[in-house]
mmCIF file of all heavy atoms in Angstrom:
data_model
loop_
_atom_site.group_PDB
_atom_site.id
_atom_site.type_symbol
_atom_site.label_atom_id
_atom_site.label_comp_id
_atom_site.label_asym_id
_atom_site.label_seq_id
_atom_site.Cartn_x
_atom_site.Cartn_y
_atom_site.Cartn_z
ATOM 1 N N TYR A 199 55.790 118.837 45.241
ATOM 2 C CA TYR A 199 55.776 119.155 43.813
ATOM 3 C C TYR A 199 55.796 117.892 42.958
ATOM 4 O O TYR A 199 55.289 117.888 41.838
ATOM 5 C CB TYR A 199 56.918 120.103 43.459
ATOM 6 C CG TYR A 199 56.584 121.536 43.781
ATOM 7 C CD1 TYR A 199 57.168 122.192 44.861
ATOM 8 C CD2 TYR A 199 55.655 122.243 43.024
ATOM 9 C CE1 TYR A 199 56.843 123.506 45.162
ATOM 10 C CE2 TYR A 199 55.327 123.552 43.314
ATOM 11 C CZ TYR A 199 55.925 124.176 44.384
ATOM 12 O OH TYR A 199 55.586 125.479 44.675
ATOM 13 N N GLN A 227 46.900 132.280 55.762
ATOM 14 C CA GLN A 227 48.064 133.087 55.373
ATOM 15 C C GLN A 227 49.293 132.225 55.053
ATOM 16 O O GLN A 227 50.431 132.613 55.313
ATOM 17 C CB GLN A 227 48.413 134.096 56.475
ATOM 18 C CG GLN A 227 47.279 135.025 56.875
ATOM 19 C CD GLN A 227 47.192 136.216 55.944
ATOM 20 O OE1 GLN A 227 48.191 136.864 55.683
ATOM 21 N NE2 GLN A 227 46.010 136.483 55.442
ATOM 22 N N ASN A 228 49.074 131.060 54.462
ATOM 23 C CA ASN A 228 50.147 130.115 54.167
ATOM 24 C C ASN A 228 50.502 130.212 52.685
ATOM 25 O O ASN A 228 49.848 129.608 51.837
ATOM 26 C CB ASN A 228 49.688 128.698 54.533
ATOM 27 C CG ASN A 228 50.758 127.654 54.328
ATOM 28 O OD1 ASN A 228 51.561 127.741 53.412
ATOM 29 N ND2 ASN A 228 50.743 126.648 55.179
ATOM 30 N N PHE A 229 51.553 130.985 52.371
ATOM 31 C CA PHE A 229 51.899 131.189 50.967
ATOM 32 C C PHE A 229 52.523 129.951 50.330
ATOM 33 O O PHE A 229 52.369 129.721 49.136
ATOM 34 C CB PHE A 229 52.790 132.427 50.761
ATOM 35 C CG PHE A 229 54.134 132.359 51.386
ATOM 36 C CD1 PHE A 229 55.203 131.770 50.740
ATOM 37 C CD2 PHE A 229 54.347 132.923 52.637
ATOM 38 C CE1 PHE A 229 56.457 131.723 51.321
ATOM 39 C CE2 PHE A 229 55.597 132.889 53.225
ATOM 40 C CZ PHE A 229 56.653 132.282 52.563
ATOM 41 N N TYR A 230 53.187 129.114 51.118
ATOM 42 C CA TYR A 230 53.753 127.874 50.569
ATOM 43 C C TYR A 230 52.619 126.962 50.098
ATOM 44 O O TYR A 230 52.626 126.475 48.972
ATOM 45 C CB TYR A 230 54.630 127.186 51.612
ATOM 46 C CG TYR A 230 55.085 125.813 51.198
ATOM 47 C CD1 TYR A 230 55.936 125.635 50.113
ATOM 48 C CD2 TYR A 230 54.658 124.683 51.893
ATOM 49 C CE1 TYR A 230 56.350 124.370 49.732
ATOM 50 C CE2 TYR A 230 55.071 123.423 51.518
ATOM 51 C CZ TYR A 230 55.908 123.266 50.439
ATOM 52 O OH TYR A 230 56.312 122.021 50.055
ATOM 53 N N ARG A 232 49.578 127.887 49.399
ATOM 54 C CA ARG A 232 48.920 128.580 48.282
ATOM 55 C C ARG A 232 49.640 128.279 46.976
ATOM 56 O O ARG A 232 49.015 127.952 45.967
ATOM 57 C CB ARG A 232 48.918 130.094 48.539
ATOM 58 C CG ARG A 232 48.342 130.906 47.386
ATOM 59 C CD ARG A 232 48.899 132.308 47.303
ATOM 60 N NE ARG A 232 50.328 132.325 47.121
ATOM 61 C CZ ARG A 232 51.116 133.330 47.493
ATOM 62 N NH1 ARG A 232 50.610 134.405 48.070
ATOM 63 N NH2 ARG A 232 52.418 133.278 47.282
ATOM 64 N N ASP A 233 50.958 128.369 46.996
ATOM 65 C CA ASP A 233 51.730 128.153 45.773
ATOM 66 C C ASP A 233 51.619 126.726 45.267
ATOM 67 O O ASP A 233 51.465 126.491 44.062
ATOM 68 C CB ASP A 233 53.194 128.526 45.996
ATOM 69 C CG ASP A 233 53.407 130.014 46.183
ATOM 70 O OD1 ASP A 233 52.475 130.803 45.897
ATOM 71 O OD2 ASP A 233 54.508 130.394 46.625
ATOM 72 N N VAL A 254 43.259 134.609 43.525
ATOM 73 C CA VAL A 254 44.144 134.246 44.636
ATOM 74 C C VAL A 254 45.250 135.290 44.794
ATOM 75 O O VAL A 254 45.622 135.655 45.908
ATOM 76 C CB VAL A 254 44.736 132.832 44.411
ATOM 77 C CG1 VAL A 254 45.924 132.571 45.294
ATOM 78 C CG2 VAL A 254 43.655 131.778 44.636
ATOM 79 N N SER A 255 45.753 135.789 43.681
ATOM 80 C CA SER A 255 46.859 136.751 43.746
ATOM 81 C C SER A 255 46.440 138.104 44.303
ATOM 82 O O SER A 255 47.282 138.945 44.611
ATOM 83 C CB SER A 255 47.530 136.908 42.381
ATOM 84 O OG SER A 255 46.717 137.643 41.505
ATOM 85 N N THR A 256 45.137 138.332 44.446
ATOM 86 C CA THR A 256 44.680 139.601 45.036
ATOM 87 C C THR A 256 44.853 139.615 46.555
ATOM 88 O O THR A 256 44.717 140.657 47.170
ATOM 89 C CB THR A 256 43.198 139.895 44.700
ATOM 90 O OG1 THR A 256 42.352 138.939 45.330
ATOM 91 C CG2 THR A 256 42.963 139.935 43.202
ATOM 92 N N TYR A 257 45.146 138.470 47.138
ATOM 93 C CA TYR A 257 45.323 138.373 48.590
ATOM 94 C C TYR A 257 46.795 138.550 48.938
ATOM 95 O O TYR A 257 47.653 137.804 48.462
ATOM 96 C CB TYR A 257 44.821 137.022 49.110
ATOM 97 C CG TYR A 257 43.322 136.893 49.009
ATOM 98 C CD1 TYR A 257 42.718 136.488 47.824
ATOM 99 C CD2 TYR A 257 42.513 137.199 50.094
ATOM 100 C CE1 TYR A 257 41.334 136.388 47.722
ATOM 101 C CE2 TYR A 257 41.136 137.097 50.001
ATOM 102 C CZ TYR A 257 40.558 136.694 48.815
ATOM 103 O OH TYR A 257 39.195 136.595 48.721
ATOM 104 N N ASP A 258 47.082 139.512 49.761
ATOM 105 C CA ASP A 258 48.450 139.806 50.181
ATOM 106 C C ASP A 258 48.795 138.964 51.399
ATOM 107 O O ASP A 258 48.257 139.177 52.486
ATOM 108 C CB ASP A 258 48.590 141.291 50.511
ATOM 109 C CG ASP A 258 49.997 141.680 50.912
ATOM 110 O OD1 ASP A 258 50.912 140.829 50.849
ATOM 111 O OD2 ASP A 258 50.187 142.854 51.294
ATOM 112 N N LEU A 259 49.695 138.005 51.202
ATOM 113 C CA LEU A 259 50.147 137.162 52.307
ATOM 114 C C LEU A 259 51.515 137.586 52.809
ATOM 115 O O LEU A 259 52.151 136.867 53.575
ATOM 116 C CB LEU A 259 50.163 135.690 51.882
ATOM 117 C CG LEU A 259 48.845 135.111 51.383
ATOM 118 C CD1 LEU A 259 48.978 133.617 51.126
ATOM 119 C CD2 LEU A 259 47.706 135.397 52.345
ATOM 120 N N GLY A 260 51.988 138.739 52.360
ATOM 121 C CA GLY A 260 53.260 139.261 52.830
ATOM 122 C C GLY A 260 54.475 138.712 52.102
ATOM 123 O O GLY A 260 55.604 138.977 52.511
ATOM 124 N N ASP A 261 54.253 137.975 51.020
ATOM 125 C CA ASP A 261 55.380 137.452 50.249
ATOM 126 C C ASP A 261 55.464 138.193 48.922
ATOM 127 O O ASP A 261 54.628 139.042 48.618
ATOM 128 C CB ASP A 261 55.225 135.947 50.026
ATOM 129 C CG ASP A 261 54.052 135.599 49.121
ATOM 130 O OD1 ASP A 261 52.982 136.216 49.285
ATOM 131 O OD2 ASP A 261 54.195 134.726 48.259
ATOM 132 N N ASP A 262 56.461 137.865 48.117
ATOM 133 C CA ASP A 262 56.647 138.558 46.842
ATOM 134 C C ASP A 262 55.792 137.963 45.713
ATOM 135 O O ASP A 262 55.734 138.522 44.625
ATOM 136 C CB ASP A 262 58.113 138.565 46.433
ATOM 137 C CG ASP A 262 58.718 137.178 46.307
ATOM 138 O OD1 ASP A 262 57.967 136.176 46.203
ATOM 139 O OD2 ASP A 262 59.958 137.080 46.313
ATOM 140 N N GLN A 263 55.144 136.848 45.949
ATOM 141 C CA GLN A 263 54.291 136.155 44.990
ATOM 142 C C GLN A 263 55.026 135.704 43.732
ATOM 143 O O GLN A 263 54.394 135.407 42.710
ATOM 144 C CB GLN A 263 53.064 136.997 44.609
ATOM 145 C CG GLN A 263 52.065 137.175 45.700
ATOM 146 C CD GLN A 263 50.718 137.670 45.194
ATOM 147 O OE1 GLN A 263 50.474 137.786 43.997
ATOM 148 N NE2 GLN A 263 49.830 137.962 46.117
ATOM 149 N N ASP A 264 56.343 135.616 43.775
ATOM 150 C CA ASP A 264 57.093 135.208 42.584
ATOM 151 C C ASP A 264 56.662 133.840 42.063
ATOM 152 O O ASP A 264 56.492 133.657 40.855
ATOM 153 C CB ASP A 264 58.599 135.176 42.856
ATOM 154 C CG ASP A 264 59.226 136.547 42.877
ATOM 155 O OD1 ASP A 264 58.542 137.527 42.503
ATOM 156 O OD2 ASP A 264 60.399 136.655 43.270
ATOM 157 N N THR A 265 56.469 132.889 42.952
ATOM 158 C CA THR A 265 56.085 131.543 42.524
ATOM 159 C C THR A 265 54.684 131.553 41.932
ATOM 160 O O THR A 265 54.445 130.954 40.882
ATOM 161 C CB THR A 265 56.177 130.552 43.700
ATOM 162 O OG1 THR A 265 57.517 130.573 44.213
ATOM 163 C CG2 THR A 265 55.822 129.142 43.273
ATOM 164 N N LEU A 266 53.766 132.236 42.584
ATOM 165 C CA LEU A 266 52.396 132.333 42.071
ATOM 166 C C LEU A 266 52.380 133.047 40.722
ATOM 167 O O LEU A 266 51.706 132.610 39.787
ATOM 168 C CB LEU A 266 51.502 133.053 43.083
ATOM 169 C CG LEU A 266 50.048 133.247 42.674
ATOM 170 C CD1 LEU A 266 49.357 131.916 42.382
ATOM 171 C CD2 LEU A 266 49.296 134.028 43.752
ATOM 172 N N GLN A 267 53.115 134.124 40.593
ATOM 173 C CA GLN A 267 53.154 134.851 39.325
ATOM 174 C C GLN A 267 53.742 133.993 38.214
ATOM 175 O O GLN A 267 53.283 134.044 37.071
ATOM 176 C CB GLN A 267 53.927 136.156 39.481
ATOM 177 C CG GLN A 267 53.174 137.172 40.312
ATOM 178 C CD GLN A 267 53.954 138.451 40.547
ATOM 179 O OE1 GLN A 267 55.151 138.533 40.276
ATOM 180 N NE2 GLN A 267 53.273 139.455 41.070
ATOM 181 N N SER A 268 54.735 133.197 38.553
ATOM 182 C CA SER A 268 55.317 132.288 37.568
ATOM 183 C C SER A 268 54.278 131.265 37.097
ATOM 184 O O SER A 268 54.192 130.963 35.899
ATOM 185 C CB SER A 268 56.530 131.581 38.177
ATOM 186 O OG SER A 268 57.075 130.666 37.264
ATOM 187 N N THR A 269 53.487 130.761 38.031
ATOM 188 C CA THR A 269 52.421 129.823 37.676
ATOM 189 C C THR A 269 51.413 130.498 36.752
ATOM 190 O O THR A 269 50.983 129.910 35.753
ATOM 191 C CB THR A 269 51.727 129.291 38.947
ATOM 192 O OG1 THR A 269 52.692 128.620 39.754
ATOM 193 C CG2 THR A 269 50.583 128.345 38.604
ATOM 194 N N ILE A 270 51.050 131.720 37.065
ATOM 195 C CA ILE A 270 50.094 132.464 36.235
ATOM 196 C C ILE A 270 50.644 132.655 34.821
ATOM 197 O O ILE A 270 49.941 132.443 33.828
ATOM 198 C CB ILE A 270 49.734 133.810 36.896
ATOM 199 C CG1 ILE A 270 48.895 133.561 38.163
ATOM 200 C CG2 ILE A 270 48.995 134.723 35.919
ATOM 201 C CD1 ILE A 270 48.720 134.781 39.047
ATOM 202 N N ILE A 271 51.896 133.030 34.712
ATOM 203 C CA ILE A 271 52.519 133.217 33.391
ATOM 204 C C ILE A 271 52.560 131.893 32.633
ATOM 205 O O ILE A 271 52.253 131.844 31.433
ATOM 206 C CB ILE A 271 53.922 133.835 33.538
ATOM 207 C CG1 ILE A 271 53.787 135.282 34.013
ATOM 208 C CG2 ILE A 271 54.690 133.750 32.222
ATOM 209 C CD1 ILE A 271 55.090 135.917 34.461
ATOM 210 N N VAL A 299 45.216 143.054 39.113
ATOM 211 C CA VAL A 299 46.046 141.896 38.763
ATOM 212 C C VAL A 299 45.788 141.453 37.329
ATOM 213 O O VAL A 299 46.700 140.951 36.665
ATOM 214 C CB VAL A 299 45.900 140.716 39.753
ATOM 215 C CG1 VAL A 299 46.376 141.099 41.135
ATOM 216 C CG2 VAL A 299 44.517 140.159 39.775
ATOM 217 N N TRP A 302 48.066 143.572 35.307
ATOM 218 C CA TRP A 302 49.434 143.040 35.377
ATOM 219 C C TRP A 302 49.564 141.840 34.445
ATOM 220 O O TRP A 302 50.529 141.738 33.683
ATOM 221 C CB TRP A 302 49.776 142.641 36.817
ATOM 222 C CG TRP A 302 51.004 141.784 36.868
ATOM 223 C CD1 TRP A 302 52.298 142.204 36.875
ATOM 224 C CD2 TRP A 302 51.046 140.348 36.854
ATOM 225 N NE1 TRP A 302 53.147 141.125 36.866
ATOM 226 C CE2 TRP A 302 52.398 139.977 36.850
ATOM 227 C CE3 TRP A 302 50.082 139.361 36.832
ATOM 228 C CZ2 TRP A 302 52.809 138.642 36.849
ATOM 229 C CZ3 TRP A 302 50.484 138.020 36.822
ATOM 230 C CH2 TRP A 302 51.830 137.686 36.833
ATOM 231 N N MET A 306 51.944 141.166 31.125
ATOM 232 C CA MET A 306 52.815 139.994 30.955
ATOM 233 C C MET A 306 52.501 139.307 29.628
ATOM 234 O O MET A 306 53.415 138.939 28.883
ATOM 235 C CB MET A 306 52.628 139.000 32.103
ATOM 236 C CG MET A 306 53.150 139.445 33.440
ATOM 237 S SD MET A 306 54.937 139.686 33.448
ATOM 238 C CE MET A 306 55.038 141.470 33.393
#
Side-chain angles (χ1 to χ4, degrees):
Y199 279 107
Q227 304 276 311
N228 183 325
F229 64 86
Y230 172 65
R232 176 207 60 206
D233 291 347
V254 164
S255 73
T256 67
Y257 291 84
D258 182 5
L259 303 185
D261 67 318
D262 58 18
Q263 291 196 6
D264 283 350
T265 302
L266 179 59
Q267 289 177 348
S268 178
T269 300
I270 291 168
I271 291 168
V299 297
W302 165 84
M306 290 297 104

